[in-house]
Amino acid sequence: MSRLLKFNIFRYNPADEVSEPHMEEFVLEETDSMTLFIALNRIREEQDPSLQFDFCCRAGICGSCGMVINGRPGLACHTKTKDLSGEITLLPLPVYKLVGDLSVDTGSWFREMYTKTESWIHTTKTFDPTAIEERMDNKQAVDIYELERCVECGCCVAACGTARMREDFIGAAALNRVARFLIDPRDQRTENDYYEIIGNDMGIFGCMGLLACEDVCPKHLPLQNQLGFLRRKMGITSLKKIFKK
Amino acid sequence: MQTIYTDLLVVGAGLAGERAAVEAADAGFSAICLSLVPARRSHSSAAQGGMQAALGNSVMGEGDSPDVHFADTVKGSDWGCDQEVARMFADSAPIEMRRLAHWGVPWNRVVPGKSIYYKGGKQYDKVEKEEKEGLIMARSFGGTAKWRTCYTSDGTGHAVMCTMDNRCAEVGVEVHDKTEAIAMIQDGDVCYGVVARCLRTGELITYLSKATMIASGGFGRIYPNTTNAVICDGGAHTLCIETGVVPMGNMEAVQFHPTGIVPTDILVTEGCRGDGGTLLDVNEKRFMNDYEPDKAELASRDVVSRWMTHHMREGHGVKSPYGEHLWLDIRHLGAEHITGKLREVYEICTSFLGINPIHQLIPVRPTHHYSMGGVRTNRDGAAYGLKGLFSAGESACWDMHGFNRLGGNSLAETVVAGGIVGKKIAEYLEGCETTFKTSLISDVVKKQQARIDALVNGTNGSENVYKVRAAMQVALNKGANIFRTQAGLEECVATLQETLIRARNVGLRSNGKGVNPELAAALKLEGQVKMGLMVAYGALQRTESRGSHNREDFPARNDRDWLNRTLAYWKTPSDSLPTLEYEPATEVVEIPPGDRGYGKSEIISADDNKE
């Protein structure tokens, strides 16, 4: 006989005038290789068709299904029930606007982040379709990809002490994004340009160094190193600015 | 109700849609992409392996050219493709890869000197040239003569998607995520936009546009076991089918990927086999080299999937609680390679299976993977039947893949077709003047509100949306799978016709308020069953075997009678079967039909006399 799993799930539908935020209990029999993706879909199909949650690739690649699982932000799709106790509490990610139940709006948050960090290659060069590509060292390409692996699930920001206290803190995902462009030789921005974006308390100097971001990152991005790298770089840039005056 | 106007409206924000939107924005037009999810979560981002383009930088790609790429593509399609389109694609792909490099994609680059590689489990040496150092590298993929697949580790789709979405943010393409198109605004001649449902509030929104593009990806979720993301449900296709005038091309051409993992159906990339991984049976013995001595594991997907199914039928499968499967062996590639170039594979195995592929075998079986069929367009990406409607990427039948697409060709297609079709859309917008008729718009909105009310109130019945959906999936899985027969397909069509009636009688069990997921599923269900019928009925009528379409009762490829493309229409909403028409597979013939060089099959030549 397999385990009976007890799920405590946050429920609230803002579009329903009689809905109040509350926790609701569902019981489900565990099956082999069960993940929270399988479990939540079964609850929706068999018990409550109105239950809201977000999944997309269900393979840990897209970052849709960030939620707070037994107190810790993580991706639901690659969370196996056999790794959890028989009682599972699911809450929506904090920081992001709630859509309903376990579903939050990460899209608007990240779109704003792209604008803040100007998340694209800044170059005066134009593309020449008749020329061969510019050369790049493979090691450099691999290093850039390492930072590009962020899936924007939002777990790092949801777990961040600063972001929870200060709405204007840019968060580890954004700082990692800046680092990605900083090491890219194709981007012509200078350290001073990056300083304008993150050289303040909303940016790198706001980080209190608690580093839950790295602990919860489902892609195991080297966030701790990136935050240290940026803090050093921006610290030096800041000193240079002072001595130039 | 909110009404939003834009010059170009794209349904979908994956690579094809965003690439086209960038092209329109660069030409000075406004562009909005609607998406079920934030753009970077689009299924494009899940493509691990790479993009085929004949750059020929690697020593293993020496002598490659768009001509060789074109020939591989036509053979891969089993001569079902439009050769003019395949030619445009092969010629443009190298330029597009370089453009992506300019925009920021961190392609893996050539490292000069000696390195080892594996083929069929054996180790070989290669020496990359000094003068190619730092140029875009390529890897090997199935069905190709050369190493031609450009990649960034095994997160190519993700990396390119990041760059494309960055580019959209830079040039001002808007992405309205959590927004689902539910009906097209059209008068039988011209498309004027869509009515969409906001997945933040549940409200309806009208989007009006001069040009509308369907770039919503595949529709694998009409099958129960698919590698496709849950958003690949064909919702946007149902809008087109509902018009009655826009045909779907070659819906029976469905690809099964050799290596979906068991049980969760998540894809592990063809790069595993490209990099030297092998397939083993219950006795941990290789078998593909017996069936395909030359290409072995690297024959095209349709061929490998077929032999795998055949081998399991012969009793060589591994029994498991989730059905039979075979093994994928990448152990000999070593820890560094597996945790480096195949890291996503490593993560999938450890996270979802609890298996360490450095030391253990990976359970795999052929799993639904790709829809060659879709919204039929001409070479410019303009849909048949409605002016102002375009399509590109997996959602379209443009048609460079014919009856089987090659690994690495679909991800490349998204950006190449997106670029070509985007340019054509910009040209169309340049000379376009549109008048919007308010009565037409309000009629569509009223009709959609009435559909929603009927589902919420249970006016048409109380069928359970999830049960009806499962019935459709099971029927297709049983009857329209890798091997097909007349009896199986007839049963499949009959079951789907019953399912269609049930789909029309769905009623919600929940209250339907706000972003109700049951309502979202119910709104597209009838259209999905119609798509299922297009697949099964098209497959029943096509009495030959070509590419991924295998009729056990008609094993020969029949170029005399079936060198054509199926066009499936749903002429009247109340019909119980699609109307099928046919057109020649290709107007331009650079390579006449011949032998593919893999996947032994009998061919009835176009020159053979009719019986």
Side-chain angles (χ1 to χ4, degrees):
Chain A
M1 172 75 186
S2 47
R3 288 194 298 175
L4 283 182
L5 302 173
K6 194 169 119 188
F7 288 86
N8 300 307
I9 298 179
F10 175 83
R11 302 300 309 270
Y12 177 52
N13 181 1
D16 184 348
E17 57 281 5
V18 299
S19 174
E20 295 273 353
H22 66 285
M23 299 300 289
E24 187 172 350
E25 189 181 304
F26 297 93
V27 176
L28 201 63
E29 194 179 325
E30 191 172 27
T31 53
D32 275 353
S33 307
M34 184 183 250
T35 61
L36 291 183
F37 168 71
I38 296 170
L40 284 168
N41 274 291
R42 271 190 54 196
I43 292 173
R44 180 193 277 173
E45 291 178 20
E46 296 164 14
Q47 302 188 33
D48 188 339
S50 71
L51 182 63
Q52 292 181 47
F53 49 76
D54 292 318
F55 284 102
C56 179
C57 77
R58 57 80 176 92
I61 297 168
C62 80
S64 291
C65 59
M67 58 182 72
V68 180
I69 304 157
N70 285 349
R72 197 179 166 91
L75 294 185
C77 72
H78 73 189
T79 302
K80 298 185 278 291
T81 53
K82 74 173 165 67
D83 296 337
L84 303 172
S85 70
E87 188 161 341
I88 299 164
T89 300
L90 302 176
L91 293 161
L93 285 184
V95 178
Y96 306 96
K97 191 177 173 200
L98 182 78
V99 173
D101 301 337
L102 299 173
S103 172
V104 296
D105 179 6
T106 52
S108 305
W109 193 96
F110 278 95
R111 192 79 183 179
E112 200 184 312
M113 182 273 266
Y114 310 156
T115 314
K116 273 190 209 160
T117 59
E118 299 190 13
S119 166
W120 54 82
I121 299 275
H122 291 55
T123 180
T124 51
K125 291 182 190 164
T126 50
F127 176 68
D128 176 1
T130 62
I132 65 160
E133 64 272 24
E134 272 192 43
R135 288 168 200 262
M136 182 185 260
D137 180 52
N138 188 56
K139 170 80 171 54
Q140 206 155 34
V142 169
D143 288 346
I144 295 166
Y145 176 68
E146 186 63 22
L147 305 186
E148 192 119 280
R149 287 172 52 246
C150 170
V151 295
E152 304 189 354
C153 60
C155 289
C156 61
V157 177
C160 172
T162 312
R164 295 294 299 277
M165 291 190 297
R166 301 230 331 248
E167 214 173 276
D168 58 3
F169 181 59
I170 198 166
L175 292 164
N176 177 68
R177 180 63 47 84
V178 169
R180 179 250 175 269
F181 286 103
L182 206 153
I183 64 165
D184 192 324
R186 292 168 294 196
D187 197 312
Q188 295 170 340
R189 278 181 282 185
T190 63
E191 277 166 23
N192 279 333
D193 293 329
Y194 292 115
Y195 189 84
E196 290 301 316
I197 304 170
I198 57 161
N200 48 46
D201 282 350
M202 285 86 84
I204 190 66
F205 302 126
C207 168
M208 299 186 291
L210 300 175
L211 298 174
C213 52
E214 172 146 338
D215 292 345
V216 300
C217 176
K219 302 310 280 184
H220 309 294
L221 290 174
L223 295 172
Q224 180 180 341
N225 284 346
Q226 293 317 310
L227 293 170
F229 164 71
L230 287 176
R231 188 184 282 267
R232 221 162 34 242
K233 269 249 185 262
M234 293 299 110
I236 293 166
T237 310
S238 159
L239 286 174
K240 278 187 194 158
K241 277 176 176 273
I242 291 166
F243 287 118
K244 257 186 205 159
K245 271 177 195 166
Chain B
M1 193 184 67
Q2 208 184 351
T3 301
I4 294 169
Y5 170 79
T6 179
D7 294 329
L8 170 61
L9 177 72
V10 184
V11 180
L15 283 177
E18 285 205 334
R19 178 67 187 88
V22 164
E23 205 61 42
D26 281 344
F29 297 102
S30 60
I32 296 175
C33 297
L34 308 184
S35 178
L36 297 176
V37 293
R40 287 168 206 227
R41 312 213 194 290
S42 300
H43 200 45
S44 301
S45 73
Q48 302 161 349
M51 294 190 176
Q52 278 206 45
L55 288 160
N57 292 327
S58 165
V59 70
M60 302 301 290
E62 264 180 12
D64 200 9
S65 70
D67 290 345
V68 185
H69 187 186
F70 167 75
D72 281 346
T73 303
V74 174
K75 282 181 204 164
S77 80
D78 221 352
W79 278 271
C81 72
D82 181 326
Q83 294 196 17
E84 206 178 353
V85 167
R87 168 54 75 180
M88 265 199 302
F89 163 75
D91 287 350
S92 311
I95 300 165
E96 194 63 28
M97 299 307 117
R98 291 173 175 143
R99 190 192 315 271
L100 292 172
H102 179 75
W103 284 351
V105 173
W107 295 118
N108 279 58
R109 302 295 180 128
V110 176
V111 179
K114 194 169 151 182
S115 54
I116 54 165
Y117 71 95
Y118 290 89
K119 193 180 168 193
K122 287 206 192 87
Q123 190 179 318
Y124 299 88
D125 286 332
K126 66 178 171 70
V127 181
E128 296 291 347
K129 292 199 166 135
E130 291 290 339
E131 68 259 31
K132 298 289 188 183
E133 179 172 10
L135 296 178
I136 299 170
M137 184 55 186
R139 61 161 46 134
S140 181
F141 250 38
T144 65
K146 305 281 178 187
W147 285 26
R148 187 188 296 133
T149 309
C150 309
Y151 65 100
T152 52
S153 300
D154 61 357
T156 311
H158 171 81
V160 178
M161 193 69 239
C162 286
T163 294
M164 197 63 74
D165 197 39
N166 284 338
R167 183 82 189 154
C168 281
E170 181 185 357
V171 301
V173 170
E174 288 180 41
V175 177
H176 294 192
D177 71 309
K178 282 191 178 282
T179 305
E180 177 158 43
I182 60 165
M184 198 173 278
I185 303 170
Q186 51 90 26
D187 58 10
D189 293 315
V190 182
C191 173
Y192 300 101
V194 304
V195 172
R197 184 165 166 261
C198 174
L199 301 182
R200 286 185 177 81
T201 61
E203 286 160 5
L204 295 186
I205 306 170
T206 303
Y207 284 90
L208 299 178
S209 58
K210 283 187 191 169
T212 304
M213 180 187 194
I214 304 293
S216 54
F219 48 89
R221 287 278 155 181
I222 66 172
Y223 279 81
N225 307 111
T226 173
T227 64
N228 287 190
V230 297
I231 53 169
C232 302
D233 56 17
H237 290 87
T238 69
L239 270 58
C240 301
I241 290 170
E242 206 52 33
T243 66
V245 294
V246 178
M248 299 288 123
N250 279 349
M251 292 292 272
E252 64 270 33
V254 177
Q255 182 174 81
F256 292 80
H257 194 288
T259 56
I261 62 170
V262 182
T264 42
D265 309 312
I266 297 168
L267 177 74
V268 293
T269 175
E270 186 152 325
C272 290
R273 282 171 294 129
D275 292 358
T278 54
L279 292 166
L280 307 180
D281 63 18
V282 67
N283 301 315
E284 301 191 11
K285 183 181 162 297
R286 258 185 101 196
F287 56 91
M288 275 308 298
N289 52 333
D290 296 334
Y291 295 120
E292 296 290 332
D294 186 25
K295 291 255 175 195
E297 280 87 353
L298 285 177
S300 65
R301 289 175 179 176
D302 56 327
V303 172
V304 178
S305 291
R306 209 147 58 226
W307 285 128
M308 288 171 77
T309 307
H310 170 79
H311 202 64
M312 286 191 281
R313 279 183 177 184
E314 297 282 298
H316 305 300
V318 184
K319 305 252 186 312
S320 87
Y322 301 97
E324 282 188 48
H325 62 78
L326 294 160
W327 300 113
L328 173 65
D329 184 8
I330 59 171
R331 295 172 300 183
H332 52 282
L333 303 183
E336 191 189 336
H337 189 94
I338 293 170
T339 56
K341 283 187 181 160
L342 297 173
R343 176 161 52 188
E344 295 289 342
V345 173
Y346 178 76
E347 285 182 5
I348 286 167
C349 289
T350 48
S351 309
F352 296 90
L353 293 173
I355 279 174
N356 182 349
I358 299 169
H359 305 295
Q360 289 170 288
L361 300 172
I362 309 167
V364 294
R365 72 176 158 217
T367 304
H368 173 282
H369 181 56
Y370 190 82
S371 319
M372 271 74 74
V375 181
R376 177 66 184 136
T377 71
N378 66 13
R379 52 176 293 183
D380 297 340
Y384 284 19
L386 281 180
K387 214 171 143 230
L389 181 64
F390 297 82
S391 185
E394 188 176 349
S395 57
C397 181
W398 184 33
D399 176 11
M400 57 169 274
H401 304 302
F403 276 77
N404 176 63
R405 83 158 168 86
L406 297 180
N409 255 359
S410 64
L411 198 59
E413 180 193 17
T414 60
V415 287
V416 173
I420 291 171
V421 174
K423 209 168 223 55
K424 290 293 172 187
I425 290 173
E427 282 170 22
Y428 173 83
L429 288 169
E430 204 68 61
C432 173
E433 187 51 54
T434 310
T435 312
F436 298 104
K437 216 171 149 198
T438 55
S439 62
L440 174 72
I441 299 164
S442 66
D443 282 352
V444 178
V445 173
K446 273 184 206 150
K447 202 173 151 202
Q448 292 312 308
Q449 192 56 57
R451 265 178 85 204
I452 291 170
D453 294 344
L455 286 164
V456 172
N457 299 327
T459 315
N460 301 324
S462 59
E463 285 280 2
N464 177 327
V465 59
Y466 299 117
K467 287 188 177 157
V468 178
R469 190 173 71 182
M472 164 187 75
Q473 292 169 332
V474 169
L476 279 166
N477 196 48
K478 195 170 166 213
N481 212 301
I482 293 181
F483 289 107
R484 302 165 174 187
T485 62
Q486 180 171 342
L489 286 163
E490 277 171 353
E491 188 194 326
C492 180
V493 168
T495 311
L496 288 174
Q497 285 181 307
E498 287 163 26
T499 313
L500 181 61
I501 295 167
R502 291 177 64 195
R504 287 167 175 156
N505 297 330
V506 162
L508 300 193
R509 286 173 297 151
S510 57
N511 65 15
K513 285 186 178 169
V515 194
N516 184 289
E518 191 187 18
L519 178 59
L523 281 168
K524 65 190 82 161
L525 184 59
E526 184 181 339
Q528 286 176 313
V529 181
K530 287 176 177 172
M531 289 168 82
L533 274 161
M534 286 177 167
V535 172
Y537 191 57
L540 175 63
Q541 297 303 316
R542 186 172 283 275
T543 48
E544 66 153 354
S545 292
R546 184 182 297 274
S548 63
H549 170 70
N550 287 283
R551 285 287 300 262
E552 289 187 278
D553 40 359
F554 295 94
R557 189 182 85 203
N558 184 342
D559 293 331
R560 184 188 63 205
D561 305 313
W562 289 104
L563 193 58
N564 60 18
R565 180 177 300 104
T566 311
L567 299 177
Y569 293 84
W570 208 278
K571 299 235 168 176
T572 313
S574 58
D575 284 354
S576 61
L577 272 182
T579 305
L580 303 185
E581 293 173 8
Y582 295 90
E583 65 176 11
T586 186
E587 298 289 343
V588 176
V589 181
E590 271 193 65
I591 307 178
D595 182 19
R596 295 168 99 187
Y598 47 80
K600 288 172 244 146
S601 121
E602 191 192 328
I603 296 169
I604 298 169
S605 157
D607 304 327
D608 288 355
N609 289 329
K610 296 246 179 204
E611 280 151 26

